[in-house]
Amino acid sequence: MGGFGSAIAQSHASMIELETAIDRILALVRCVGVERLRLAEAHGRYLSGTLISEVDLPAFDNSAMDGFAVRAGDVSQASRENPVLLKLIGRVAAGETPATPVSVGTCVRVFTGSPLPEGSDAVVMQEDTQSEGQAKGCVAVLDCVRPWENIRFRAEDVRLGGQVADAGDLVTPGKIALLAAVGFGEIMVGRQPVLGIIATGSELCLAGEPLSPGQIYESNRFALAALSQRCGVKPRVYPIVPDNLVAIKAALSIAIAECDVVVTAGGVSVGEFDFVKSAFAELGGELDFWRVAIKPGKPFAFGRCDGKLLFGLPGNPVSAFVTFLTLVRPALLRMQGARDVDLPVRHGILVEPLLNHGDRRHFVRVQIDSRGEVRSAGTQASHLLKSLSLANGLVDLAPGAALSTGGPVRVGVWD
Ligand code: AMP
Ligand code: MG
């Protein structure tokens, strides 16, 4: 078990690729557990197992319309000029069971969702009938219907024994609708991890307090808490920690004990006040890697301590934000049992060129609008928050890449 010290020595020379970093992180991620929830409370969670329907959906053949259940053969020649008279022999509301079967020359009043009476094989829409002015107890049918027209079939949606959801699926409103419709009152889903969020830096001041000379307002904890809530995590935000090895060790050990996973922001680079890696090593933490070949965000540390994962994010606010989205988010989702952990991609068209003159892969913050038009969100330096506040996505630009106006572009979106 190497501490941070030895691992840093090995990894100093080279940065690892983003995909390698993600693979190494996901290889160590474990699901934090499962819990049974009432369906209504499970929105946004991830299913922990395959769900098999114990019913047919629909459960019985039923009417798709308000109208009359008929035998299609009786009305095959019906038209407005040549109405066919049928004897009305009963009525079935939705929720009732049909009492009388439909025999030749008869019909039964039905409504959307009414079980189909035995003997009938089609429903004539109410709009294609005329009840007033007919012989007593009769309905005139003014249009023909094909056999099985306006009927919703038993099990056409889901068959008893059929799979309705898979392990790792996100519980979306549509999935909730289906699971409710096949009668699942409760489901097993991944537990939501508690994420400890620590900001280090002696210059940091809490928003709302007066600033002393040289101090800046702290922003990373706010951004990281909001981002973590977006991916179903419960943030536990700790007080600002000064650049001091003892203080950082104390804060880290509390967070590691209290949380499922911990992120720190700041103090993870090569400056003489960057104590996060040493603090982690002194607590017995094991560094897996340090430095990823992306911009913004090169200084990024990942390791484990007492079975808990630690992500050491850079302090520059945009770097912290981007490394959270690219490297921490996948782990947080996988801890809840999610299968798909990539940022959702939207395909857009550039309305201005995007260039990467650098030698590192650049995640450029952009705006993609509802029409799919993509533009830079503004100046890209990693301390500039105005452009971050205007951005809703990232474009992954390879070193030397030059994307032209009008060209297609993939945007990983978070808002
Ligand atoms: P560091 O990674 O600690 O070297 O910090 C890099 C830059 O980010 C410095 O300008 C810090 O002042 C700034 N910074 C670090 N942490 C935060 C934070 N939590 N909120 C706002 N700015 C920060
Ligand atoms: Mg610092």
Side-chain angles (χ1 to χ4, degrees), residues 127-148:
E127 293 85 337
D128 292 334
T129 63
Q130 178 65 262
S131 299
E132 288 96 60
Q134 307 302 330
K136 195 168 157 16
C138 283
V139 177
V141 176
L142 310 176
D143 201 2
C144 60
V145 279
R146 294 184 310 277
W148 309 115

Side-chain angles (χ1 to χ4, degrees), residues 13-95:
S14 62
M15 294 181 273
I16 69 168
E17 288 301 320
L18 177 63
E19 283 71 19
T20 312
I22 294 170
D23 287 348
R24 282 167 72 160
I25 291 168
L26 292 182
L28 294 182
V29 166
R30 298 288 167 266
C31 183
V32 285
V34 297
E35 59 188 331
R36 180 179 292 279
L37 287 187
R38 289 212 298 274
L39 187 61
E41 291 165 355
H43 178 226
R45 299 299 198 92
Y46 296 89
L47 285 169
S48 57
T50 301
L51 294 180
I52 304 293
S53 180
E54 292 173 12
V55 296
D56 285 330
L57 182 69
F60 44 84
D61 295 343
N62 66 90
S63 174
M65 296 282 173
D66 292 335
F68 296 86
V70 300
R71 296 166 77 101
D74 281 355
V75 296
S76 60
Q77 303 301 316
S79 67
R80 283 181 194 266
E81 298 71 41
N82 180 31
V84 171
L85 272 191
L86 296 177
K87 187 165 179 238
L88 183 62
I89 57 163
R91 194 183 80 157
V92 192

